[in-house]
Each structure stands twice: as structure tokens, then as C-alpha cells.
């Protein structure tokens, strides 16, 4: 993407001497406040249960310098920051000093209704740009936030510009999601992205023997990133210029992480013995440090780049906004605390005596820990100026365009499947509801053509920040036209589901970030929903509203074999908060469910949705959609509420409740049962999720509507129940409790097999014979 100048009002240059003094004072106060917030939660606040509260004083301390330099010097109002999970107390301390957090919350870390364990956009009372907490996901979110911002700005305006920062711990670089994101073809063009790696060389359990920083930096450079290494601060750099300085640099550079950490635990006299090491350079190093007083020697050893405000401000000023940037900031875990550098300091807490000593050293008061800077001081002026500079007015929310509930097309009558219906509905919306269609953006990990998005892509084009030549535009045999342009409405990522749902979450949050609602739809092979579930769930938690389409699904995808047959996804849809799951059987059901899901996006009370679709060809006429307008509307309401009665026998003795691709087997079983003299009702379940919510509401456990239960499972038609679906049978097992009838559940509990669909269904006992046999067992 083309680099833009930094917004007016930011401080993009290096910090000057006078400002550095104030910044370092603020840094000390941030260190104190973040430590005290955790201390109060664990040592002061009553804890009747005796359970561990926790918090991470050492992990917060390693970030205080970085976050002070960033917030109080480099950030602009349009920038956004993802803060590493364990540094949440630092974020709250900064927000408190900026007047964005009331003092009453400082005593509520990890208390019910208080400050969350990790930064949360939806639950914390102070400004949080990105929810974090799941390692790797919060770090990559600003990549997709940058892409979402560019998309909104290009299509509708109002998203502005600004950098997207990620503050992450070095251990997060072990996460595969990090490298999947870095390698995606879309990422090298995101010039507004800046990552800062807190390189403290410790994990939860130990000092990491070899962090391989050079290797990591090389991997970022190979991916097209600007790499800035911030290893030493100004004190050490000045020492390196003296006689013996090069020997000291070589000694520290070659030193293993554990040895360096051990030196941090040494008093000055012991440090003078250990630091020179052995060999020919020991003498020059000893001579170099001999004139230094104890305080200067201890300060110099700790003067890493990630704790030097001046070095940090220089690094932020040198960011190249034409490509992504990563800053490797060397830090000390527990910097400034009695626990600094200790290999087991990850969750350690300071004692009362240590807190008292820390307060004395930092110029604060343990008995009055929340004191702000005095009026008229340089520090107070810096906080006030920063608060004014970073003030970000709330975006005026824009109501999403109306999505029609029904496209009023005649119900399909031929052979078709629900996956085909997806592409058809999207194309129909461009003609029948163009304002709504203009807000739709689809995302796919290189499976657009195989998930029936080809027609949609040909219509709306593929999004790219710049126009690209379609070299196959004049090829008569090319069916899928890959027109990449800034007006395109489809984003094609590489083959990594975590990237897809990460982008979905950010596209689904634009309504709250910039007041510009989008209607994002991500399409992925259903077996890989499990792979994408955690980051998608985290995106929902952070306020992102989107539609995830899993297709094709289940063992119905028989020729693909067990590895490509999803089993658990239907129940996952029920269990995912903030999401409604649908598994329609017919094309018209797919249309109604998709339109309802689209209508729930981009608004404060909105919800995400998961649609599980199939490639199984089904005779669409068996849907028996009423032609009368009122009856059709009644059917639509039932479909979008969770279920409808597809077939109703005069004297039923059993009910067959089927979902998705298994509805034809249920209908065939009902015919055979009728031939045997046993009447069967057939219920088509479209959303087990909504039915379960209705059941919970009937029991007084939620406020969801419950009317659908009486419409589809009325007491006067209660009979023994057989449930069947192309997924785990427990998904529908709860249906028997609606009227407390005997129930037998059929579904898939084993890995699949390749083969013809008839053979595979028989293997899993979800074929027509199995349904009939199960029903007879219930009613005999």
C-alpha cells in the first residue's frame, strides 16, 4: 500500500532531553501503578475463597518502558494498539494517568465486573483497541485490522489512517498463527503495521537458553518486513565507545541468556568479578568497569534497548511506513522489581516489605498508591497533553442497510444443494438489495471456486489496494474472472483458516471502530472449522460480527475420505457464544437463514452466524414450500427460528427429526413406516442452536423466544423421537426433553471412509434402513 504521512498532532521524531526527563518519571509511575494494581488484587483485597487471583508483575514490568514511550511520545489518535495479555495492568495504569479510567477500578483487577485479566474491548471499562489473551491471536489482529481499515476507507471513507501496533512477548513467536499471518500474500503491503517484540528471553517456566533472535529477524526480513533491532540503550552504547568497550560488547553478545539473567541477580561487587569472564578480554573489561560506581555499573548492565526511552523513541521515529515493521526490543522480565531476571518470576508476587521498598524507591506511597502527578508538574503536563493528543471521538454509528427477509423468488423445484444456494443468494442481493449487497465482503482461503463463489466474484471483483492486470481477461476458456481492483468485494487469502477468521473478526468490527458496518462472510471447508474455531471465537468475543460458512460438510462428502469429513461442527455451533448456527436442508431454507444472519450484522445488538452447508444434490420440490404468501411467510419464520414440520401424519406414532443433508433419508423412512402402518411426522431442523435456546428460555434460564417449540413439537403430537444428522448424534439429543419423550439419536461418531454415499451412510447407520429400524424399536 502507498505510504501516507503521519497524521497531524503525533510526535514522530526522537524525544528531546527535557521530554526524556518527564517520560522517565512517567515510566516509573506506570511501573508502580501496574505493580500496585496486581498487589492489591492479591494481597489487599479480601479473598474469601482463597483461590489464586494472579496477575503478572514481572511481565508487566518488562513492558513499562515500551508502552510509556509509545503512548506518551509516539502514538496518534488514529493509531491502535494490541497489548500483550500479561501487560494489561500497564494499559490500565496508562489509561488512569490519561483520565480514561476511574480510580475506583484500580482495585478491581480480576474481580467480577472489574478490570479483566487480559485486555478486552467488550468487557473492560477503559479504552482497549484489541482484545488479547489467546496467544498469537491478539498479536496478529492488527494485521487484519489494517486490512479492514483500508477496505472501509477505500469503499466508504471514514476509517482514516494510522498505525496498527502489536505489542507481543517473544514466546508468542512460537505460535504457528504468527507465521501463517506473516507469510500471507496480503501482509507485505500493510505499511501501517508495527510489531514490537518484548524480547525478555523468558517463558513461564524458565530462561530460554537460545532465543535465536538473528534467525527470527531473518524470517521477518525474508517476508518483506522492516526489521529494527533495539538491543542496547544509550548507557551501554556509550560504554562500548570507550577502551575495552568492544570487548564488553562481544562478551555480552556471546553470553547465553541464563548467564546474563544470573548477572542481573548479582550485587555490584560480585558483578565486577563475573562480568569480565575469562580469556584475553577479561582484563580490558575489568579495566573498563573499574571506574564506574556501583549504581552506574548496575544501571549499565540493565540498559537494554527496550528499557531506554530515548532509544525507543528513535526506533518509533525510524519506522518505514511503506511496509510492515517489527522492532525487537531487548528487555528484562521484572525490570525495576526485586524479582527482575529471576527464572521463576513469571507469576511471582512482591511481598509487603518489597512493595514498601519499591514505593520508597519510586517516590510513591504504599498507603496511598493511586496518587496522580502534582498539578503544575512537567509529568502532569505531559499526561494532559498526551490525553488531548490521543482523544478519539466515538464514531457516529451508521445503521446497516436493510436486508430483505425473503427475495420473493419462486421456491426452487429441481435438483440442487445448499452450497449452490449460497452463491445464488449473493448474486440475487446485488439486483434486489444493492445497498445491502454493497456492504457484503466475502473472504476465502483459496477455495472460492470450489465453494460456489465464482459467480459472485465475477460480479463484484476481487479486492486489492491497487488495480492489477487480469492477464486472462481475453482467454475464452477462463470462467472465473480474477479482476483485482480497489472496488472489489472479495478478499482472497492464502491457505490458512486462522488468517481467514482473523480477518473476518476485524471486518466484522468496523461498525464499532469507525461506524461503518460491513456484512462479512467467510467460506471455508467445514472440516477445517475446528482449525479456525479459536481465533473466530476470539473475534466474536472482541465484538466482531460475521458469518462463517462451512462447506462442504459431513460424511456426505464421501469420496474425499475421513480427513475431509466433519463430525463435531454441528455441536460446536450450538456451543459458541455470540453466534447462531444454521444447517439448512433446502436452497430456500439457505436463502432465508442467510438473509436473517446478514440482517443481524453490524449493530450493537447483533450476532455472528455459522452456516453448515452441503454439496449433496436434493430434490428441492420435497421442501413443499407453500405457495400462499401468508403460509410461505409462516414457513420462513419457522425456518429462521430453528425448525418446521415438513410432513405431518394424521395419526403419528413416531417423529423423525432430521437436519441438513439427511432430510431425504428421513422422508424415505417416513414413507416406508407408513407402508408398515406406522404414521411418522417429519421435522426439518434448521438450527439446533435456536431450539436449545428456546428450551432454556422455557425453563426460565434465558430471555430468548420459546414459541417455536409449541409450533413444531406441540404436546398433542408428542411421540417417541428419532433424530438424525450428518454429524455427532448428541447435537439433537436434547430434543427429546422438549416433551419428555423416548428418543434415539443417529449420527456420526467415527472417522469416515471414502466411498459412495450409500455405502458411507450405511457404515455410519444414518441410512434409511437404520432410521426405519430405530423407529420400529421405539414404537414396538
Amino acid at each position: 500500500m502507498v505510504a501516507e504521512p503521519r497524521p497531524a498532532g503525533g510526535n514522530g521524531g526522537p524525544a528531546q532531553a527535557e521530554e526524556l526527563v518527564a517520560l522517565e518519571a512517567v515510566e516509573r509511575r506506570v511501573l508502580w501503578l501496574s505493580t500496585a494494581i496486581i498487589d492489591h488484587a492479591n494481597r489487599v483485597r479480601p479473598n474469601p475463597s482463597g483461590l489464586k487471583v494472579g496477575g503478572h508483575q514481572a511481565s508487566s514490568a518488562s513492558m513499562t518502558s515500551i508502552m510509556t514511550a509509545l503512548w506518551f511520545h509516539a502514538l496518534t489518535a488514529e493509531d491502535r494498539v494490541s497489548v500483550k495479555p500479561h501487560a494489561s495492568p500497564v494499559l490500565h495504569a496508562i489509561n488512569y494517568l490519561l483520565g480514561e479510567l476511574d480510580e475506583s477500578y484500580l482495585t478491581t483487577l480480576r474481580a467480577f465486573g472489574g478490570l479483566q485479566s487480559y485486555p478486552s474491548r467488550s468487557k473492560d471499562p477503559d479504552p482497549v483497541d484489541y482484545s488479547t489473551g489467546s496467544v498469537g491471536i491478539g498479536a496478529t489482529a492488527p494485521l487484519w485490522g489494517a486490512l479492514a481499515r483500508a477496505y472501509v476507507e477505500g469503499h466508504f471513507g471514514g476509517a482514516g489512517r494510522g498505525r496498527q501496533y502489536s505489542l507481543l512477548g517473544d514466546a508468542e513467536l512460537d505460535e504457528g498463527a504468527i507465521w501463517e499471518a506473516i507469510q500471507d500474500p496480503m501482509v507485505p503491503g500493510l505499511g501501517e503495521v508495527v510489531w514490537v517484540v518484548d524480547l525478555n528471553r523468558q517463558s513461564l517456566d524458565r530462561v530460554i537458553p537460545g532465543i535465536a533472535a538473528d534467525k527470527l529477524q531473518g524470517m521477518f526480513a525474508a517476508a518483506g518486513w522492516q526489521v529494527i533491532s533495539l538491543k542496547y540503550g544509550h548507557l551501554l552504547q556509550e560504554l562500548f565507545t570507550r577502551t575495552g568497550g568492544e570487548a564488553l560488547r562481544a562478551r555480552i553478545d556471546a553470553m547465553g541468556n541464563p548467564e546474563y539473567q544470573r548477572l542481573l541477580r548479582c550485587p555490584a561487587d560480585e558483578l565486577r568479578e563475573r562480568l569480565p569472564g575469562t580469556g584475553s578480554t577479561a582484563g580490558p573489561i575489568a579495566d573498563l568497569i573499574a571506574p564506574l560506581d556501583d549504581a552506574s555499573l548496575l544501571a549499565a548492565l540493565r540498559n537494554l534497548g527496550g528499557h531506554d526511552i530515548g532509544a525507543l523513541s528513535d526506533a518509533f521515529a525510524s519506522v518505514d511506513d511503506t511496509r510492515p515493521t517489527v522492532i525487537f526490543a531487548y528487555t528484562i522480565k521484572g525490570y525495576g522489581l526485586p524479582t527482575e531476571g529471576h527464572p521463576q518470576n513469571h507469576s511471582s508476587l512482591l511481598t509487603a516489605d518489597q512493595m514498601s521498598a519499591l514505593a520508597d524507591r519510586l517516590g510513591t506511597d504504599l498507603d496511598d498508591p493511586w496518587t496522580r502527578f502534582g498539578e503544575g508538574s512537567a509529568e502532569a503536563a505531559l499526561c494532559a497533553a498526551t490525553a488531548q493528543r490521543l482523544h478519539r471521538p466515538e464514531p457516529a454509528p451508521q445503521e446497516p442497510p436493510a436486508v430483505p427477509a425473503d427475495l420473493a423468488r419462486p421456491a426452487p423445484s429441481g435438483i440442487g444443494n445448499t452450497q449452490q444456494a449460497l452463491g445464488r443468494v449473493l448474486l440475487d442481493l446485488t439486483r434486489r438489495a444493492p445497498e445491502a449487497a454493497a456492504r457484503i465482503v466475502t473472504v476465502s482461503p483459496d477455495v472460492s471456486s470450489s465453494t460456489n463463489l465464482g459467480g459472485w466474484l465475477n460480479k463484484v471483483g476481487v479486492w486489492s489496494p491497487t488495480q492489477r492486470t487480469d492477464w486472462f481477461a481475453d482467454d475464452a476458456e477462463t470462467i472465473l474472472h480474477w479482476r483485482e481492483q480497489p472496488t472489489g468485494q472479495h478478499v482472497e487469502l492464502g491457505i490458512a483458516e486462522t488468517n481467514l477468521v482473523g480477518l473476518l473478526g476485524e471486518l466484522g468490527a468496523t461498525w464499532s471502530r469507525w461506524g461503518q458496518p460491513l456484512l462479512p462472510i467467510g467460506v471455508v471447508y467445514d472440516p477445517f472449522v475446528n482449525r479456525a474455531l479459536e481465533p473466530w471465537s476470539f473475534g466474536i468475543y472482541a465484538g466482531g460480527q460475521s458469518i462463517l460458512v462451512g462447506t462442504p460438510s459431513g460424511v456426505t462428502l464421501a469420496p474425499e475420505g475421513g480427513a475431509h469429513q466433519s463430525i463435531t461442527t454441528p455441536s460446536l455451533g450450538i456451543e459458541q457464544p455470540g453466534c447462531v448456527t444454521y444447517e439448512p436442508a433446502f436452497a430456500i431454507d439457505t436463502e432465508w437463514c442467510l438473509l436473517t444472519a446478514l440482517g443481524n450484522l453490524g449493530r450493537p445488538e447483533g450476532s455472528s452466524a455459522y452456516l453448515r452447508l452441503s454439496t449433496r444434490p436434493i430434490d428441492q420440490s420435497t421442501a413443499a414450500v407453500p405457495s400462499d404468501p401468508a403460509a410461505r411467510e409462516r414457513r420462513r419464520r419457522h425456518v429462521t427460528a430453528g425448525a418446521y414440520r415438513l410432513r405431518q401424519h394424521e395419526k403419528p406414532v413416531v417423529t423423525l427429526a432430521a437436519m441438513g443433508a439427511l432430510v431425504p433419508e428421513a422422508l424415505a423412512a417416513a414413507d416406508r413406516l407408513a407402508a408398515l402402518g406406522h404414521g411418522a411426522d417429519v421435522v426439518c431442523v434448521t438450527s439446533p442452536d435456536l431450539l436449545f435456546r428456546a428450551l432454556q428460555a422455557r425453563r426460565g434460564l434465558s430471555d430468548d423466544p420459546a414459541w417455536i417449540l409449541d409450533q413444531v413439537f406441540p404436546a398433542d403430537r408428542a411421540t417417541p423421537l428419532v433424530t438424525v444428522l450428518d454429524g455427532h448424534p448428541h447435537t439433537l439429543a436434547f430434543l427429546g426433553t422438549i416433551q419428555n419423550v423416548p428418543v434415539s439419536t443417529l449420527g456420526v461418531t467415527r472417522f469416515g471412509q471414502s466411498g459412495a454415499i450409500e455405502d458411507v451412510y450405511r457404515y455410519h447407520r444414518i441410512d434409511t434402513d437404520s432410521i426405519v429400524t430405530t423407529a420400529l424399536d421405539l414404537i414396538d
Side-chain angles (χ1 to χ4, degrees):
M1 297 178 185
V2 178
E4 299 171 320
R6 293 282 283 157
N11 191 349
Q16 302 304 307
E18 185 176 345
E19 184 191 4
L20 279 175
V21 175
L23 283 168
E24 288 167 357
V26 170
E27 175 194 9
R28 292 191 293 273
R29 187 59 56 88
V30 170
L31 174 63
W32 166 255
L33 286 171
S34 59
T35 306
I37 287 170
I38 300 168
D39 177 68
H40 190 282
N42 288 272
R43 193 180 57 80
V44 181
R45 190 171 69 216
N47 183 9
S49 70
L51 295 174
K52 172 187 173 183
V53 176
H56 299 85
Q57 289 175 330
S59 293
S60 292
S62 72
M63 287 295 298
T64 54
S65 309
I66 294 169
M67 293 178 67
T68 299
L70 185 57
W71 260 264
F72 292 88
H73 176 77
L75 278 187
T76 73
E78 291 191 305
D79 297 338
R80 282 175 165 77
V81 188
S82 170
V83 176
K84 81 170 189 176
H86 292 166
S88 64
V90 183
L91 177 62
H92 299 310
I94 289 173
N95 281 336
Y96 172 64
L97 291 177
L98 297 180
E100 297 282 5
L101 182 67
D102 188 79
E103 180 179 319
S104 62
Y105 280 104
L106 299 181
T107 60
T108 67
L109 179 69
R110 302 191 174 198
F112 185 79
L115 300 176
Q116 299 300 296
S117 304
Y118 309 124
S120 171
R121 285 192 76 217
S122 57
K123 297 183 181 297
D124 272 318
D126 52 333
V128 174
D129 291 332
Y130 288 97
S131 296
T132 59
S134 189
V135 177
I137 295 172
T140 57
L143 294 175
W144 316 124
L147 202 156
R149 185 211 62 79
Y151 184 95
V152 168
E153 181 65 20
H155 283 76
F156 308 106
R161 54 196 183 194
R163 289 178 182 167
Q164 303 278 338
Y165 288 89
S166 284
L167 310 181
L168 62 155
D170 49 19
E172 287 193 76
L173 296 180
D174 290 343
E175 289 289 331
I178 296 283
W179 302 105
E180 285 187 344
I182 288 170
Q183 294 182 81
D184 192 273
M186 279 287 183
V187 169
L190 300 176
E192 61 205 83
V193 168
V194 180
W195 283 16
V196 183
V197 179
D198 172 15
L199 199 67
N200 61 44
R201 293 147 302 181
Q202 283 188 239
S203 62
L204 189 151
D205 292 328
R206 61 174 181 158
V207 177
I208 301 172
I211 198 66
D214 292 342
K215 175 184 175 183
L216 294 171
Q217 292 171 20
M219 292 167 71
F220 276 96
W225 290 51
Q226 177 191 16
V227 179
I228 299 174
S229 180
L230 204 56
K231 190 170 186 178
Y232 299 119
H234 288 86
L235 291 178
L236 273 175
Q237 290 183 37
E238 194 279 326
L239 269 182
F240 295 155
T241 64
R242 301 183 189 181
T243 301
E246 284 302 318
L248 178 61
R249 179 195 288 270
R251 163 84 168 119
I252 297 176
D253 280 345
M255 189 181 296
N257 294 332
E259 182 183 2
Y260 176 80
Q261 302 283 100
R262 181 63 186 88
L263 292 180
L264 296 173
R265 310 292 299 168
C266 296
D269 55 347
E270 186 179 352
L271 181 59
R272 293 182 191 279
E273 295 177 8
R274 288 187 177 225
L275 180 56
T278 60
S280 61
T281 59
I285 294 174
D287 293 341
L288 172 66
I289 64 176
L292 301 178
D293 60 54
D294 289 352
S296 297
L297 175 61
L298 294 173
L301 182 69
R302 289 156 172 77
N303 183 226
L304 298 181
H307 296 305
D308 189 303
I309 298 291
L312 285 161
S313 72
D314 292 345
F316 291 133
S318 65
V319 168
D320 175 6
D321 288 314
T322 66
R323 54 179 174 152
T325 296
V326 59
I327 301 172
F328 283 87
Y330 284 73
T331 61
I332 298 169
K333 195 164 186 174
Y335 178 74
L337 303 181
T339 58
E340 67 178 1
H342 194 280
Q344 280 84 52
N345 67 5
H346 181 82
S347 298
S348 65
L349 298 168
L350 270 60
T351 66
D353 289 343
Q354 288 174 325
M355 286 295 298
S356 180
L358 183 68
D360 292 341
R361 182 166 64 81
L362 296 178
T364 57
D365 186 349
L366 184 59
D367 296 324
D368 186 16
W370 318 125
T371 305
R372 286 189 167 94
F373 292 110
E375 188 175 349
S377 66
E379 295 83 4
L382 177 60
C383 290
T386 301
Q388 183 177 10
R389 185 182 80 244
L390 299 184
H391 177 68
R392 186 191 300 159
E394 285 293 320
Q398 179 173 328
E399 186 72 16
V403 178
D406 189 343
L407 296 177
R409 288 170 48 114
S413 57
I415 302 297
N417 61 56
T418 55
Q419 180 178 285
Q420 291 170 341
L422 169 67
R424 192 198 71 200
V425 172
L426 294 178
L427 282 175
D428 282 351
L429 280 170
T430 63
R431 295 185 288 267
R432 299 176 182 239
E435 290 187 0
R439 294 278 170 171
I440 293 175
V441 52
T442 55
V443 187
S444 168
D446 200 38
V447 292
S448 302
S449 56
S450 57
T451 53
N452 280 88
L453 290 182
W456 165 256
L457 262 67
N458 287 341
K459 177 71 175 179
V460 302
V462 177
W463 181 79
S464 171
T466 57
Q467 187 88 24
R468 294 180 180 176
T469 302
D470 179 8
W471 293 103
F472 287 86
D474 58 350
D475 187 336
E477 296 182 8
T478 298
I479 299 175
L480 182 64
H481 300 290
W482 207 258
R483 294 178 291 110
E484 298 180 86
Q485 54 201 6
T487 58
Q489 290 179 244
H490 175 79
V491 181
E492 186 85 358
L493 299 178
I495 305 176
E497 287 76 16
T498 55
N499 291 347
L500 174 134
V501 294
L503 178 56
L504 268 189
E506 291 307 315
L507 291 170
T510 58
W511 65 273
S512 60
R513 290 199 191 281
W514 301 290
Q516 288 286 1
L518 296 176
L519 308 180
I521 302 173
V523 182
V524 62
Y525 286 168
D526 195 64
F528 307 136
V529 166
N530 282 309
R531 185 183 301 172
L533 186 62
E534 184 193 7
W536 190 53
S537 175
F538 215 79
I540 294 174
Y541 171 78
Q545 298 171 10
S546 62
I547 297 173
L548 182 62
V549 178
T551 182
S553 64
V555 300
T556 299
L557 193 61
E560 296 285 348
H564 276 59
Q565 297 174 1
S566 53
I567 297 171
T568 61
T569 47
S571 61
L572 291 176
I574 298 176
E575 296 154 11
Q576 175 58 49
C579 166
V580 178
T581 183
Y582 298 100
E583 185 167 349
F586 299 101
I588 190 65
D589 297 352
T590 305
E591 173 187 312
W592 290 334
C593 292
L594 180 59
L595 294 175
T596 297
L598 287 168
N600 283 331
L601 299 178
R603 58 187 76 244
E605 71 283 2
S607 169
S608 293
Y610 162 52
L611 271 69
R612 190 175 189 253
L613 304 183
S614 173
T615 51
R616 185 187 184 184
I618 290 179
D619 181 356
Q620 299 298 307
S621 66
T622 57
V625 179
S627 57
D628 179 81
R632 177 186 171 109
E633 172 59 15
R634 180 176 183 270
R635 167 68 71 85
R636 187 200 66 80
R637 289 182 64 242
H638 285 194
V639 166
T640 57
Y644 59 95
R645 304 186 74 81
L646 180 57
R647 185 174 296 180
Q648 189 163 299
H649 196 275
E650 183 179 352
K651 294 181 179 180
V653 295
V654 68
T655 299
L656 309 179
M659 188 165 73
L662 271 295
V663 167
E665 276 63 35
L667 291 172
D671 290 338
R672 286 173 53 181
L673 287 167
L676 295 172
H678 303 294
D681 285 348
V682 178
V683 171
C684 181
V685 175
T686 54
S687 175
D689 181 12
L690 293 176
L691 294 181
F692 184 76
R693 296 186 195 193
L695 186 59
Q696 293 290 84
R698 176 186 281 182
R699 294 166 176 164
L701 300 176
S702 78
D703 297 325
D704 292 288
W707 61 268
I708 188 65
L709 300 181
D710 292 328
Q711 292 285 310
V712 180
F713 298 99
D716 61 352
R717 299 188 69 84
T719 62
L721 181 66
V722 178
T723 67
V724 60
L725 76 155
D726 188 356
H728 200 282
H730 78 206
T731 306
L732 300 180
F734 71 91
L735 295 180
T737 66
I738 295 174
Q739 295 297 348
N740 295 317
V741 298
V743 60
S744 288
T745 59
L746 301 178
V748 180
T749 58
R750 294 175 286 176
F751 287 114
Q753 297 279 347
S754 296
I757 191 172
E758 297 81 7
D759 296 330
V760 172
Y761 279 10
R762 191 177 306 111
Y763 171 76
H764 291 287
R765 297 179 182 175
I766 54 176
D767 60 322
T768 302
D769 284 352
S770 296
I771 298 173
V772 171
T773 300
T774 303
L776 291 174
D777 288 342
L778 274 178
I779 61 182
D780 278 354

